[in-house]
Amino acid sequence: MFTIEHEFDATMITLVDEGDATLREDVTVSAFVDEISFEQWDPRTDRISKITLSPAQLKDLTAALNLPEGIYRSTS
C-alpha cells in the first residue's frame, strides 16, 4: 500500500509494508525539483535514516531495477 500527497513544493509518497513476512517500517519519499529523499525509521538506533538522490541518480536507479548485472552509463 502507498499514499501520495501533493504539497506546495514537493510530492510526498509513503510506502507501507504489508503482508505475512517480517514487516519493515514505512518509507517516506519526498520529491522536490532538485532532489528526492527517502526516509525510514530505524528502531535499532531510534532515529530516522535519510538518503537523498539527485533526479539523475533516481533515473539511473529506476533503470537499474530492470537491467541485468553489468556496468551502465546513462545517455541523457
Side-chain angles (χ1 to χ4, degrees):
M1 181 179 100
F2 61 91
T3 64
I4 301 173
E5 300 174 59
H6 297 290
E7 302 289 333
F8 171 72
D9 60 348
T11 297
M12 309 290 286
I13 300 169
T14 301
L15 307 173
V16 179
D17 198 9
E18 296 182 298
D20 297 329
T22 303
L23 302 178
R24 305 289 181 213
E25 296 292 329
D26 296 354
V27 174
T28 302
V29 181
S30 302
F32 297 91
V33 172
D34 58 345
E35 69 179 40
I36 298 88
S37 66
F38 298 82
E39 295 181 341
Q40 184 178 42
W41 176 256
D42 184 346
R44 295 171 296 164
T45 61
D46 198 31
R47 299 174 81 154
I48 293 176
S49 298
K50 182 176 182 177
I51 297 173
T52 302
L53 303 176
S54 69
Q57 288 175 308
L58 182 62
K59 180 180 174 187
D60 289 347
L61 174 61
T62 302
L65 293 174
N66 297 310
L67 292 170
E69 183 176 336
I71 299 173
Y72 301 89
R73 181 179 304 255
S74 50
T75 58
S76 56

